[in-house]
Every structure is written in C-alpha cells, then in structure tokens.
Amino acid sequence: MILNRRNRILRQSQAIRAMVAETILQPQDFIVPLFIVEGCNVKDEILSMPGYYRLSLDNTVAEVKSLWAMGLKSILLFVKCKDEVKDKYGKEAVNPNGLMQRSIKAIKDAVPGMLIMTDVALDPFSSDGHDGVVENGEIVNDITVEILAEMSVSHAAAGADFVAPSDMMDGRIAAIRQALEQNNFTKTGIMAYSAKYASCFYGPFRDALDSAPGFGDKKTYQMDYSNRLEALKETLMDVEEGADIVMVKPALSYLDIIREVKNAVDIPVSAYNISGEYAMVKAAAKMGWIDEDKAIVEVLTSIKRAGADLIATYFAKDIIRIMDK
Ligand code: PBG
C-alpha cells in the first residue's frame, strides 16, 4: 500500500505517545475529599469505599500534612456528626464550634497553604437526611437557602477558602455571595455544584456520612439524568449569580455534560469523581477483573479530557503514587 498518511506513526513508541499526548494529569488538578468524625485517633475504613477512611480531627491534620508533602494542595471537607445533634433545621451546621468549623481552623493552623473547600448542604446535619429543610414532606427552598448562606459565612469565618454548596436549591449562589459580601468575606470563593444529578452512584458516600435521605429521594432538587440542556441552564445561572468555579457531578456517566459546560462558561470547571465511581473500580480490581492503577489513570484522564480543569477524587493519593512511578 502507498498511503500518504499513516496515523500509527504517532503511536509507535512510548516516547512519541508521551510527546503528542493532549491530556496530562498534574497534582494541582486534584481536590481531595476528606471525611471527618468526632473523637481522637479514629481511622475507620468505609465499608463500601475500601482504602478510604473517616478520620478524627487529629488524624485529619496529620493526613493533610502528608497530602501537602505529596503536592496535593486542595481539600474538600465533609463532616459526620452524631445523631443527637441532628435536627430539622440542621442547626449544628452553623455552630461556630461545630466539627466543621473546628476542623477548618485546625487545618489552617497546621498547613496554612492548603486550599480548604467546605461542603455546604444540610444532609449531614439534618434529622431528615435531606440537603434542605423538610416541611410537610417537602424540601423547602427559601428557608434552606437562608441557612446555607449563614453556614457559608460561618465556614468563611473559620477560615475556609472556598465554600462548595452541593444542595441544588434555587438561588443559593446569589444568596451566599451576598451574605459573604455583607460580612466582608470578600476573598472567599464559591465552587458551585451546578449540574448535580440525582444519582445512584452516591450510595457509598451516604454510608460514609450516614446521610441517606430519611424518606424518598433527592429528585425534586437534584437533576434528572435524562437532561442535558438543563445542565447548561443551571450552570449559566450559577455563573451569573457569582460562582467562581462550577462543578458537574457525578463525572463518569456525565462526560458529555462536562464538555458542554466547559464549552459554555469562561470560569474553571470541576468534576466530582464520586464515591460510586471509586467503589466500582475498587470492586472490579479486587475481583481481579481490571488493573486498578491502569483504571485510575484512564478514568481521571478521561474526566480531564472531557473538559474538567479540576477533579475531586478519592483516587488523588493513588494517582500521585502512580505518576511518581
Ligand atoms: C450531599 C453530597 C453528596 C455528595 C457530596 N455532597 C451526596 C448526595 O447528594 O446525596 C456525594 C459525593 C460522592 O458520592 O462521592 N450534599
């Protein structure tokens, strides 16, 4: 055959493949989610997330130091609070001495350079296990938004660099931005979970925080996975309302959405490689059905290739280890 172009030329060796690779993972791409619990010296493996732990604050601080040493510079905090402090309005979420607020301070003191992002939603604090306040079996938007704004201010006061509302109430980005401005937190950023879908893949996370909804599901606030245009509507509104970073979540079944959003906005796009996506890789690897390290690199590269500038992932430490090999 005489061909005037042979595409395999650019694939024939590792050297040439590396040279022409369009997508390259870097440590600064990753945000590390951390689950914090009350107590001392707790390191409690999450059953449905093998190799991932709930840590008490002392162990969390040690973990953050080691993440920093590995080149990971951004964390996303979640707390698991005790059942006895949960109530209808998630009051514990705005407690200045709550676990989240204490954690932010302790981490800032120990590793001042670490970028601290905090989850803003009521589910870990709500006796109903929903992201918002429940009245007569419904998740009420406007009261919830007021609490989320107050919660954001309380995280900012404790030293959070970014608040990350993951609740999907309407109008919360504008309300949070206004509340931050009114309280003079003009340097606190907002990473908005803008296109967050109602997904079965959150299961292991809800085990981690014991935050499964007490009744029903989250479909009246999280998005329907049949929809694409709606993701653009949600995201563009969050940009208008003042988000600094927008997020698509989950990642793997939503790579098309990540790309759409990336093409539509002029601010950084993040994607959340969520708990169920982690669990699937772990489970298949444990069975010997896939190579875990290769799967991690492929998954994360595909999310970045789709358009994610930042990726929240439980594989952050693994990918650093693999990249260093
Ligand atoms: C809830 C919240 C969820 C996750 C992050 N924040 C679960 C949910 O919406 O029920 C999921 C993260 C993951 O699955 O890794 N506000």
Side-chain angles (χ1 to χ4, degrees), residues 34-46 53-61 77-82 98-100 102-103 107 124 207-210:
L34 293 173
F35 300 120
I36 310 173
V37 293
E38 296 283 5
C40 258
N41 200 20
V42 182
K43 182 178 180 186
D44 186 11
E45 189 168 20
I46 300 152
Y53 301 84
R54 300 178 197 93
L55 301 175
S56 49
L57 183 49
D58 50 347
N59 283 344
T60 302
V61 168
L77 304 184
F78 297 93
V79 297
K80 176 179 185 297
C81 64
K82 299 218 156 88
L99 182 56
M100 176 63 94
R102 279 183 280 130
S103 302
I107 294 169
D207 292 342
L209 291 190
D210 185 23

PDB file of all heavy atoms in Angstrom, residues 34-46 53-61 77-82 98-100 102-103 107 124 207-210:
ATOM      1  N   LEU A  34     -12.299  14.775  52.178  1.00  0.00           N
ATOM      2  CA  LEU A  34     -11.947  14.173  53.477  1.00  0.00           C
ATOM      3  C   LEU A  34     -13.198  14.080  54.335  1.00  0.00           C
ATOM      4  O   LEU A  34     -14.007  15.012  54.372  1.00  0.00           O
ATOM      5  CB  LEU A  34     -10.898  15.029  54.191  1.00  0.00           C
ATOM      6  CG  LEU A  34      -9.501  15.103  53.552  1.00  0.00           C
ATOM      7  CD1 LEU A  34      -8.634  16.131  54.278  1.00  0.00           C
ATOM      8  CD2 LEU A  34      -8.813  13.730  53.556  1.00  0.00           C
ATOM      9  N   PHE A  35     -13.333  12.953  55.016  1.00  0.00           N
ATOM     10  CA  PHE A  35     -14.477  12.723  55.914  1.00  0.00           C
ATOM     11  C   PHE A  35     -13.997  12.812  57.358  1.00  0.00           C
ATOM     12  O   PHE A  35     -13.167  12.011  57.784  1.00  0.00           O
ATOM     13  CB  PHE A  35     -15.075  11.337  55.676  1.00  0.00           C
ATOM     14  CG  PHE A  35     -15.586  11.133  54.273  1.00  0.00           C
ATOM     15  CD1 PHE A  35     -15.063  10.133  53.465  1.00  0.00           C
ATOM     16  CD2 PHE A  35     -16.590  11.940  53.755  1.00  0.00           C
ATOM     17  CE1 PHE A  35     -15.537   9.936  52.169  1.00  0.00           C
ATOM     18  CE2 PHE A  35     -17.073  11.757  52.465  1.00  0.00           C
ATOM     19  CZ  PHE A  35     -16.542  10.746  51.671  1.00  0.00           C
ATOM     20  N   ILE A  36     -14.525  13.770  58.095  1.00  0.00           N
ATOM     21  CA  ILE A  36     -14.046  13.997  59.457  1.00  0.00           C
ATOM     22  C   ILE A  36     -15.116  13.576  60.471  1.00  0.00           C
ATOM     23  O   ILE A  36     -16.301  13.890  60.297  1.00  0.00           O
ATOM     24  CB  ILE A  36     -13.688  15.485  59.660  1.00  0.00           C
ATOM     25  CG1 ILE A  36     -12.761  15.954  58.519  1.00  0.00           C
ATOM     26  CG2 ILE A  36     -13.014  15.706  61.016  1.00  0.00           C
ATOM     27  CD1 ILE A  36     -12.470  17.436  58.518  1.00  0.00           C
ATOM     28  N   VAL A  37     -14.676  12.877  61.518  1.00  0.00           N
ATOM     29  CA  VAL A  37     -15.601  12.457  62.589  1.00  0.00           C
ATOM     30  C   VAL A  37     -15.096  12.965  63.935  1.00  0.00           C
ATOM     31  O   VAL A  37     -13.923  13.307  64.090  1.00  0.00           O
ATOM     32  CB  VAL A  37     -15.757  10.914  62.662  1.00  0.00           C
ATOM     33  CG1 VAL A  37     -16.458  10.386  61.426  1.00  0.00           C
ATOM     34  CG2 VAL A  37     -14.416  10.215  62.843  1.00  0.00           C
ATOM     35  N   GLU A  38     -15.994  13.003  64.928  1.00  0.00           N
ATOM     36  CA  GLU A  38     -15.615  13.371  66.295  1.00  0.00           C
ATOM     37  C   GLU A  38     -14.701  12.294  66.865  1.00  0.00           C
ATOM     38  O   GLU A  38     -14.705  11.156  66.408  1.00  0.00           O
ATOM     39  CB  GLU A  38     -16.864  13.488  67.185  1.00  0.00           C
ATOM     40  CG  GLU A  38     -17.845  14.587  66.803  1.00  0.00           C
ATOM     41  CD  GLU A  38     -17.378  15.993  67.225  1.00  0.00           C
ATOM     42  OE1 GLU A  38     -16.246  16.146  67.728  1.00  0.00           O
ATOM     43  OE2 GLU A  38     -18.181  16.934  67.035  1.00  0.00           O
ATOM     44  N   GLY A  39     -13.957  12.657  67.901  1.00  0.00           N
ATOM     45  CA  GLY A  39     -13.144  11.662  68.598  1.00  0.00           C
ATOM     46  C   GLY A  39     -11.662  11.898  68.406  1.00  0.00           C
ATOM     47  O   GLY A  39     -11.248  12.895  67.805  1.00  0.00           O
ATOM     48  N   CYS A  40     -10.879  10.973  68.951  1.00  0.00           N
ATOM     49  CA  CYS A  40      -9.423  11.055  68.881  1.00  0.00           C
ATOM     50  C   CYS A  40      -8.878   9.779  68.289  1.00  0.00           C
ATOM     51  O   CYS A  40      -9.368   8.689  68.611  1.00  0.00           O
ATOM     52  CB  CYS A  40      -8.864  11.197  70.300  1.00  0.00           C
ATOM     53  SG  CYS A  40      -8.411  12.876  70.647  1.00  0.00           S
ATOM     54  N   ASN A  41      -7.875   9.919  67.459  1.00  0.00           N
ATOM     55  CA  ASN A  41      -7.203   8.765  66.868  1.00  0.00           C
ATOM     56  C   ASN A  41      -8.170   7.775  66.207  1.00  0.00           C
ATOM     57  O   ASN A  41      -7.992   6.567  66.299  1.00  0.00           O
ATOM     58  CB  ASN A  41      -6.357   8.052  67.945  1.00  0.00           C
ATOM     59  CG  ASN A  41      -5.287   7.193  67.292  1.00  0.00           C
ATOM     60  OD1 ASN A  41      -4.944   7.417  66.125  1.00  0.00           O
ATOM     61  ND2 ASN A  41      -4.790   6.214  68.007  1.00  0.00           N
ATOM     62  N   VAL A  42      -9.191   8.310  65.548  1.00  0.00           N
ATOM     63  CA  VAL A  42     -10.123   7.439  64.823  1.00  0.00           C
ATOM     64  C   VAL A  42      -9.662   7.324  63.370  1.00  0.00           C
ATOM     65  O   VAL A  42      -9.357   8.328  62.722  1.00  0.00           O
ATOM     66  CB  VAL A  42     -11.566   8.011  64.848  1.00  0.00           C
ATOM     67  CG1 VAL A  42     -12.525   7.071  64.122  1.00  0.00           C
ATOM     68  CG2 VAL A  42     -12.028   8.286  66.261  1.00  0.00           C
ATOM     69  N   LYS A  43      -9.585   6.081  62.890  1.00  0.00           N
ATOM     70  CA  LYS A  43      -9.329   5.823  61.478  1.00  0.00           C
ATOM     71  C   LYS A  43     -10.201   4.636  61.119  1.00  0.00           C
ATOM     72  O   LYS A  43      -9.880   3.496  61.436  1.00  0.00           O
ATOM     73  CB  LYS A  43      -7.843   5.511  61.246  1.00  0.00           C
ATOM     74  CG  LYS A  43      -7.516   5.292  59.783  1.00  0.00           C
ATOM     75  CD  LYS A  43      -6.038   5.042  59.532  1.00  0.00           C
ATOM     76  CE  LYS A  43      -5.846   4.835  58.026  1.00  0.00           C
ATOM     77  NZ  LYS A  43      -4.483   4.451  57.683  1.00  0.00           N
ATOM     78  N   ASP A  44     -11.316   4.947  60.517  1.00  0.00           N
ATOM     79  CA  ASP A  44     -12.402   3.999  60.409  1.00  0.00           C
ATOM     80  C   ASP A  44     -12.662   3.771  58.909  1.00  0.00           C
ATOM     81  O   ASP A  44     -13.109   4.678  58.211  1.00  0.00           O
ATOM     82  CB  ASP A  44     -13.592   4.711  61.098  1.00  0.00           C
ATOM     83  CG  ASP A  44     -14.799   3.870  61.231  1.00  0.00           C
ATOM     84  OD1 ASP A  44     -14.695   2.664  60.989  1.00  0.00           O
ATOM     85  OD2 ASP A  44     -15.858   4.455  61.567  1.00  0.00           O
ATOM     86  N   GLU A  45     -12.347   2.576  58.430  1.00  0.00           N
ATOM     87  CA  GLU A  45     -12.492   2.335  56.983  1.00  0.00           C
ATOM     88  C   GLU A  45     -13.969   2.309  56.587  1.00  0.00           C
ATOM     89  O   GLU A  45     -14.805   1.735  57.285  1.00  0.00           O
ATOM     90  CB  GLU A  45     -11.815   1.017  56.587  1.00  0.00           C
ATOM     91  CG  GLU A  45     -11.754   0.831  55.074  1.00  0.00           C
ATOM     92  CD  GLU A  45     -10.832  -0.308  54.641  1.00  0.00           C
ATOM     93  OE1 GLU A  45     -10.540  -1.195  55.478  1.00  0.00           O
ATOM     94  OE2 GLU A  45     -10.416  -0.310  53.472  1.00  0.00           O
ATOM     95  N   ILE A  46     -14.301   2.933  55.470  1.00  0.00           N
ATOM     96  CA  ILE A  46     -15.684   2.956  54.987  1.00  0.00           C
ATOM     97  C   ILE A  46     -15.920   1.672  54.200  1.00  0.00           C
ATOM     98  O   ILE A  46     -15.206   1.399  53.236  1.00  0.00           O
ATOM     99  CB  ILE A  46     -15.919   4.215  54.118  1.00  0.00           C
ATOM    100  CG1 ILE A  46     -15.654   5.471  54.959  1.00  0.00           C
ATOM    101  CG2 ILE A  46     -17.329   4.225  53.538  1.00  0.00           C
ATOM    102  CD1 ILE A  46     -15.200   6.668  54.163  1.00  0.00           C
ATOM    103  N   TYR A  53     -11.128   6.353  54.458  1.00  0.00           N
ATOM    104  CA  TYR A  53     -11.390   6.342  55.897  1.00  0.00           C
ATOM    105  C   TYR A  53     -12.139   7.568  56.382  1.00  0.00           C
ATOM    106  O   TYR A  53     -12.022   8.649  55.808  1.00  0.00           O
ATOM    107  CB  TYR A  53     -10.052   6.281  56.650  1.00  0.00           C
ATOM    108  CG  TYR A  53      -9.238   5.056  56.293  1.00  0.00           C
ATOM    109  CD1 TYR A  53      -8.420   5.042  55.159  1.00  0.00           C
ATOM    110  CD2 TYR A  53      -9.324   3.904  57.071  1.00  0.00           C
ATOM    111  CE1 TYR A  53      -7.698   3.903  54.807  1.00  0.00           C
ATOM    112  CE2 TYR A  53      -8.601   2.767  56.730  1.00  0.00           C
ATOM    113  CZ  TYR A  53      -7.795   2.774  55.600  1.00  0.00           C
ATOM    114  OH  TYR A  53      -7.095   1.643  55.254  1.00  0.00           O
ATOM    115  N   ARG A  54     -12.878   7.370  57.480  1.00  0.00           N
ATOM    116  CA  ARG A  54     -13.349   8.509  58.271  1.00  0.00           C
ATOM    117  C   ARG A  54     -12.262   8.751  59.305  1.00  0.00           C
ATOM    118  O   ARG A  54     -11.852   7.814  59.996  1.00  0.00           O
ATOM    119  CB  ARG A  54     -14.641   8.172  59.027  1.00  0.00           C
ATOM    120  CG  ARG A  54     -15.808   7.775  58.161  1.00  0.00           C
ATOM    121  CD  ARG A  54     -17.003   7.434  59.067  1.00  0.00           C
ATOM    122  NE  ARG A  54     -17.999   6.685  58.335  1.00  0.00           N
ATOM    123  CZ  ARG A  54     -18.052   5.353  58.296  1.00  0.00           C
ATOM    124  NH1 ARG A  54     -17.182   4.618  58.973  1.00  0.00           N
ATOM    125  NH2 ARG A  54     -18.981   4.743  57.591  1.00  0.00           N
ATOM    126  N   LEU A  55     -11.829  10.006  59.416  1.00  0.00           N
ATOM    127  CA  LEU A  55     -10.728  10.305  60.335  1.00  0.00           C
ATOM    128  C   LEU A  55     -11.190  11.308  61.378  1.00  0.00           C
ATOM    129  O   LEU A  55     -11.954  12.234  61.070  1.00  0.00           O
ATOM    130  CB  LEU A  55      -9.550  10.921  59.562  1.00  0.00           C
ATOM    131  CG  LEU A  55      -8.925  10.091  58.431  1.00  0.00           C
ATOM    132  CD1 LEU A  55      -7.863  10.922  57.700  1.00  0.00           C
ATOM    133  CD2 LEU A  55      -8.317   8.795  58.971  1.00  0.00           C
ATOM    134  N   SER A  56     -10.684  11.136  62.609  1.00  0.00           N
ATOM    135  CA  SER A  56     -10.910  12.181  63.604  1.00  0.00           C
ATOM    136  C   SER A  56     -10.018  13.372  63.244  1.00  0.00           C
ATOM    137  O   SER A  56      -9.119  13.256  62.401  1.00  0.00           O
ATOM    138  CB  SER A  56     -10.609  11.662  65.006  1.00  0.00           C
ATOM    139  OG  SER A  56      -9.354  11.018  65.014  1.00  0.00           O
ATOM    140  N   LEU A  57     -10.247  14.505  63.903  1.00  0.00           N
ATOM    141  CA  LEU A  57      -9.556  15.730  63.501  1.00  0.00           C
ATOM    142  C   LEU A  57      -8.037  15.621  63.635  1.00  0.00           C
ATOM    143  O   LEU A  57      -7.287  16.087  62.761  1.00  0.00           O
ATOM    144  CB  LEU A  57     -10.111  16.922  64.299  1.00  0.00           C
ATOM    145  CG  LEU A  57      -9.556  18.298  63.945  1.00  0.00           C
ATOM    146  CD1 LEU A  57      -9.567  18.569  62.450  1.00  0.00           C
ATOM    147  CD2 LEU A  57     -10.339  19.383  64.684  1.00  0.00           C
ATOM    148  N   ASP A  58      -7.558  14.976  64.720  1.00  0.00           N
ATOM    149  CA  ASP A  58      -6.096  14.823  64.878  1.00  0.00           C
ATOM    150  C   ASP A  58      -5.506  14.056  63.689  1.00  0.00           C
ATOM    151  O   ASP A  58      -4.513  14.463  63.089  1.00  0.00           O
ATOM    152  CB  ASP A  58      -5.755  14.147  66.216  1.00  0.00           C
ATOM    153  CG  ASP A  58      -6.556  12.871  66.469  1.00  0.00           C
ATOM    154  OD1 ASP A  58      -7.548  12.617  65.744  1.00  0.00           O
ATOM    155  OD2 ASP A  58      -6.193  12.103  67.379  1.00  0.00           O
ATOM    156  N   ASN A  59      -6.155  12.962  63.329  1.00  0.00           N
ATOM    157  CA  ASN A  59      -5.664  12.188  62.187  1.00  0.00           C
ATOM    158  C   ASN A  59      -5.847  12.938  60.867  1.00  0.00           C
ATOM    159  O   ASN A  59      -5.057  12.771  59.935  1.00  0.00           O
ATOM    160  CB  ASN A  59      -6.370  10.832  62.110  1.00  0.00           C
ATOM    161  CG  ASN A  59      -5.816   9.849  63.136  1.00  0.00           C
ATOM    162  OD1 ASN A  59      -4.738  10.059  63.690  1.00  0.00           O
ATOM    163  ND2 ASN A  59      -6.554   8.785  63.401  1.00  0.00           N
ATOM    164  N   THR A  60      -6.894  13.754  60.792  1.00  0.00           N
ATOM    165  CA  THR A  60      -7.114  14.541  59.571  1.00  0.00           C
ATOM    166  C   THR A  60      -5.964  15.532  59.375  1.00  0.00           C
ATOM    167  O   THR A  60      -5.444  15.683  58.265  1.00  0.00           O
ATOM    168  CB  THR A  60      -8.455  15.311  59.643  1.00  0.00           C
ATOM    169  OG1 THR A  60      -9.502  14.369  59.827  1.00  0.00           O
ATOM    170  CG2 THR A  60      -8.708  16.108  58.380  1.00  0.00           C
ATOM    171  N   VAL A  61      -5.568  16.193  60.477  1.00  0.00           N
ATOM    172  CA  VAL A  61      -4.476  17.168  60.373  1.00  0.00           C
ATOM    173  C   VAL A  61      -3.199  16.470  59.894  1.00  0.00           C
ATOM    174  O   VAL A  61      -2.501  16.960  58.992  1.00  0.00           O
ATOM    175  CB  VAL A  61      -4.262  17.890  61.727  1.00  0.00           C
ATOM    176  CG1 VAL A  61      -2.960  18.681  61.732  1.00  0.00           C
ATOM    177  CG2 VAL A  61      -5.448  18.817  62.015  1.00  0.00           C
ATOM    178  N   LEU A  77     -13.850  19.368  52.501  1.00  0.00           N
ATOM    179  CA  LEU A  77     -14.188  18.777  53.802  1.00  0.00           C
ATOM    180  C   LEU A  77     -15.665  18.427  53.942  1.00  0.00           C
ATOM    181  O   LEU A  77     -16.542  19.208  53.579  1.00  0.00           O
ATOM    182  CB  LEU A  77     -13.825  19.753  54.928  1.00  0.00           C
ATOM    183  CG  LEU A  77     -12.387  20.253  54.994  1.00  0.00           C
ATOM    184  CD1 LEU A  77     -12.204  21.132  56.231  1.00  0.00           C
ATOM    185  CD2 LEU A  77     -11.398  19.083  55.014  1.00  0.00           C
ATOM    186  N   PHE A  78     -15.889  17.231  54.507  1.00  0.00           N
ATOM    187  CA  PHE A  78     -17.221  16.772  54.896  1.00  0.00           C
ATOM    188  C   PHE A  78     -17.136  16.321  56.341  1.00  0.00           C
ATOM    189  O   PHE A  78     -16.133  15.726  56.735  1.00  0.00           O
ATOM    190  CB  PHE A  78     -17.646  15.571  54.054  1.00  0.00           C
ATOM    191  CG  PHE A  78     -17.783  15.868  52.591  1.00  0.00           C
ATOM    192  CD1 PHE A  78     -16.712  15.662  51.729  1.00  0.00           C
ATOM    193  CD2 PHE A  78     -18.973  16.351  52.072  1.00  0.00           C
ATOM    194  CE1 PHE A  78     -16.828  15.940  50.369  1.00  0.00           C
ATOM    195  CE2 PHE A  78     -19.102  16.624  50.715  1.00  0.00           C
ATOM    196  CZ  PHE A  78     -18.022  16.422  49.860  1.00  0.00           C
ATOM    197  N   VAL A  79     -18.162  16.590  57.126  1.00  0.00           N
ATOM    198  CA  VAL A  79     -18.141  16.072  58.491  1.00  0.00           C
ATOM    199  C   VAL A  79     -19.317  15.134  58.719  1.00  0.00           C
ATOM    200  O   VAL A  79     -20.381  15.270  58.115  1.00  0.00           O
ATOM    201  CB  VAL A  79     -18.168  17.190  59.560  1.00  0.00           C
ATOM    202  CG1 VAL A  79     -16.930  18.062  59.473  1.00  0.00           C
ATOM    203  CG2 VAL A  79     -19.428  18.039  59.445  1.00  0.00           C
ATOM    204  N   LYS A  80     -19.070  14.169  59.604  1.00  0.00           N
ATOM    205  CA  LYS A  80     -20.138  13.257  60.009  1.00  0.00           C
ATOM    206  C   LYS A  80     -20.457  13.607  61.444  1.00  0.00           C
ATOM    207  O   LYS A  80     -19.607  13.482  62.325  1.00  0.00           O
ATOM    208  CB  LYS A  80     -19.640  11.815  59.928  1.00  0.00           C
ATOM    209  CG  LYS A  80     -20.635  10.785  60.409  1.00  0.00           C
ATOM    210  CD  LYS A  80     -20.038   9.392  60.246  1.00  0.00           C
ATOM    211  CE  LYS A  80     -21.017   8.296  60.587  1.00  0.00           C
ATOM    212  NZ  LYS A  80     -21.463   8.311  61.981  1.00  0.00           N
ATOM    213  N   CYS A  81     -21.648  14.114  61.682  1.00  0.00           N
ATOM    214  CA  CYS A  81     -21.922  14.467  63.073  1.00  0.00           C
ATOM    215  C   CYS A  81     -22.828  13.442  63.733  1.00  0.00           C
ATOM    216  O   CYS A  81     -23.473  12.630  63.080  1.00  0.00           O
ATOM    217  CB  CYS A  81     -22.416  15.903  63.199  1.00  0.00           C
ATOM    218  SG  CYS A  81     -23.968  16.203  62.418  1.00  0.00           S
ATOM    219  N   LYS A  82     -22.823  13.482  65.050  1.00  0.00           N
ATOM    220  CA  LYS A  82     -23.568  12.490  65.827  1.00  0.00           C
ATOM    221  C   LYS A  82     -25.076  12.702  65.660  1.00  0.00           C
ATOM    222  O   LYS A  82     -25.540  13.829  65.494  1.00  0.00           O
ATOM    223  CB  LYS A  82     -23.202  12.646  67.315  1.00  0.00           C
ATOM    224  CG  LYS A  82     -21.726  12.410  67.605  1.00  0.00           C
ATOM    225  CD  LYS A  82     -21.549  11.673  68.934  1.00  0.00           C
ATOM    226  CE  LYS A  82     -20.247  10.927  69.020  1.00  0.00           C
ATOM    227  NZ  LYS A  82     -19.124  11.746  69.546  1.00  0.00           N
ATOM    228  N   GLY A  98     -18.786  23.935  65.857  1.00  0.00           N
ATOM    229  CA  GLY A  98     -19.118  22.635  65.273  1.00  0.00           C
ATOM    230  C   GLY A  98     -17.860  21.954  64.725  1.00  0.00           C
ATOM    231  O   GLY A  98     -16.802  22.567  64.584  1.00  0.00           O
ATOM    232  N   LEU A  99     -18.005  20.682  64.400  1.00  0.00           N
ATOM    233  CA  LEU A  99     -16.854  19.908  63.922  1.00  0.00           C
ATOM    234  C   LEU A  99     -16.251  20.525  62.653  1.00  0.00           C
ATOM    235  O   LEU A  99     -15.030  20.595  62.496  1.00  0.00           O
ATOM    236  CB  LEU A  99     -17.296  18.452  63.676  1.00  0.00           C
ATOM    237  CG  LEU A  99     -16.214  17.481  63.221  1.00  0.00           C
ATOM    238  CD1 LEU A  99     -15.038  17.439  64.192  1.00  0.00           C
ATOM    239  CD2 LEU A  99     -16.815  16.062  63.046  1.00  0.00           C
ATOM    240  N   MET A 100     -17.099  20.998  61.761  1.00  0.00           N
ATOM    241  CA  MET A 100     -16.582  21.594  60.529  1.00  0.00           C
ATOM    242  C   MET A 100     -15.756  22.845  60.846  1.00  0.00           C
ATOM    243  O   MET A 100     -14.631  23.006  60.372  1.00  0.00           O
ATOM    244  CB  MET A 100     -17.752  21.948  59.594  1.00  0.00           C
ATOM    245  CG  MET A 100     -17.341  22.662  58.323  1.00  0.00           C
ATOM    246  SD  MET A 100     -16.271  21.664  57.248  1.00  0.00           S
ATOM    247  CE  MET A 100     -17.479  20.918  56.151  1.00  0.00           C
ATOM    248  N   ARG A 102     -14.344  23.794  63.652  1.00  0.00           N
ATOM    249  CA  ARG A 102     -13.097  23.460  64.365  1.00  0.00           C
ATOM    250  C   ARG A 102     -12.077  22.855  63.416  1.00  0.00           C
ATOM    251  O   ARG A 102     -10.878  23.129  63.506  1.00  0.00           O
ATOM    252  CB  ARG A 102     -13.402  22.453  65.492  1.00  0.00           C
ATOM    253  CG  ARG A 102     -13.959  23.098  66.753  1.00  0.00           C
ATOM    254  CD  ARG A 102     -14.167  22.066  67.846  1.00  0.00           C
ATOM    255  NE  ARG A 102     -15.403  21.316  67.633  1.00  0.00           N
ATOM    256  CZ  ARG A 102     -15.507  19.996  67.644  1.00  0.00           C
ATOM    257  NH1 ARG A 102     -14.452  19.236  67.831  1.00  0.00           N
ATOM    258  NH2 ARG A 102     -16.681  19.409  67.455  1.00  0.00           N
ATOM    259  N   SER A 103     -12.554  22.054  62.491  1.00  0.00           N
ATOM    260  CA  SER A 103     -11.633  21.397  61.547  1.00  0.00           C
ATOM    261  C   SER A 103     -10.962  22.413  60.631  1.00  0.00           C
ATOM    262  O   SER A 103      -9.752  22.349  60.391  1.00  0.00           O
ATOM    263  CB  SER A 103     -12.386  20.373  60.695  1.00  0.00           C
ATOM    264  OG  SER A 103     -12.994  19.411  61.513  1.00  0.00           O
ATOM    265  N   ILE A 107      -6.895  22.851  60.590  1.00  0.00           N
ATOM    266  CA  ILE A 107      -6.140  22.549  59.362  1.00  0.00           C
ATOM    267  C   ILE A 107      -5.403  23.801  58.884  1.00  0.00           C
ATOM    268  O   ILE A 107      -4.238  23.745  58.505  1.00  0.00           O
ATOM    269  CB  ILE A 107      -7.077  21.990  58.268  1.00  0.00           C
ATOM    270  CG1 ILE A 107      -7.634  20.633  58.706  1.00  0.00           C
ATOM    271  CG2 ILE A 107      -6.354  21.871  56.934  1.00  0.00           C
ATOM    272  CD1 ILE A 107      -8.768  20.107  57.847  1.00  0.00           C
ATOM    273  N   PRO A 124     -25.750  16.202  56.235  1.00  0.00           N
ATOM    274  CA  PRO A 124     -25.097  15.543  57.375  1.00  0.00           C
ATOM    275  C   PRO A 124     -25.636  16.024  58.720  1.00  0.00           C
ATOM    276  O   PRO A 124     -25.357  15.411  59.753  1.00  0.00           O
ATOM    277  CB  PRO A 124     -23.622  15.947  57.234  1.00  0.00           C
ATOM    278  CG  PRO A 124     -23.479  16.544  55.882  1.00  0.00           C
ATOM    279  CD  PRO A 124     -24.821  17.090  55.521  1.00  0.00           C
ATOM    280  N   ASP A 207     -23.141   6.147  52.955  1.00  0.00           N
ATOM    281  CA  ASP A 207     -22.674   5.229  54.008  1.00  0.00           C
ATOM    282  C   ASP A 207     -21.601   5.920  54.842  1.00  0.00           C
ATOM    283  O   ASP A 207     -21.593   5.825  56.070  1.00  0.00           O
ATOM    284  CB  ASP A 207     -22.007   3.969  53.422  1.00  0.00           C
ATOM    285  CG  ASP A 207     -23.002   3.082  52.699  1.00  0.00           C
ATOM    286  OD1 ASP A 207     -24.221   3.247  52.936  1.00  0.00           O
ATOM    287  OD2 ASP A 207     -22.559   2.229  51.908  1.00  0.00           O
ATOM    288  N   ALA A 208     -20.690   6.608  54.157  1.00  0.00           N
ATOM    289  CA  ALA A 208     -19.558   7.241  54.845  1.00  0.00           C
ATOM    290  C   ALA A 208     -20.044   8.242  55.881  1.00  0.00           C
ATOM    291  O   ALA A 208     -19.507   8.325  56.977  1.00  0.00           O
ATOM    292  CB  ALA A 208     -18.639   7.924  53.831  1.00  0.00           C
ATOM    293  N   LEU A 209     -21.070   9.017  55.529  1.00  0.00           N
ATOM    294  CA  LEU A 209     -21.531  10.080  56.424  1.00  0.00           C
ATOM    295  C   LEU A 209     -22.820   9.716  57.150  1.00  0.00           C
ATOM    296  O   LEU A 209     -23.339  10.524  57.901  1.00  0.00           O
ATOM    297  CB  LEU A 209     -21.759  11.374  55.638  1.00  0.00           C
ATOM    298  CG  LEU A 209     -20.541  12.085  55.077  1.00  0.00           C
ATOM    299  CD1 LEU A 209     -20.943  13.452  54.547  1.00  0.00           C
ATOM    300  CD2 LEU A 209     -19.456  12.251  56.134  1.00  0.00           C
ATOM    301  N   ASP A 210     -23.325   8.529  56.893  1.00  0.00           N
ATOM    302  CA  ASP A 210     -24.603   8.138  57.455  1.00  0.00           C
ATOM    303  C   ASP A 210     -25.647   9.219  57.146  1.00  0.00           C
ATOM    304  O   ASP A 210     -26.332   9.731  58.028  1.00  0.00           O
ATOM    305  CB  ASP A 210     -24.449   7.934  58.977  1.00  0.00           C
ATOM    306  CG  ASP A 210     -25.715   7.397  59.616  1.00  0.00           C
ATOM    307  OD1 ASP A 210     -26.521   6.791  58.903  1.00  0.00           O
ATOM    308  OD2 ASP A 210     -25.902   7.606  60.836  1.00  0.00           O
TER     309      ASP A 210
END
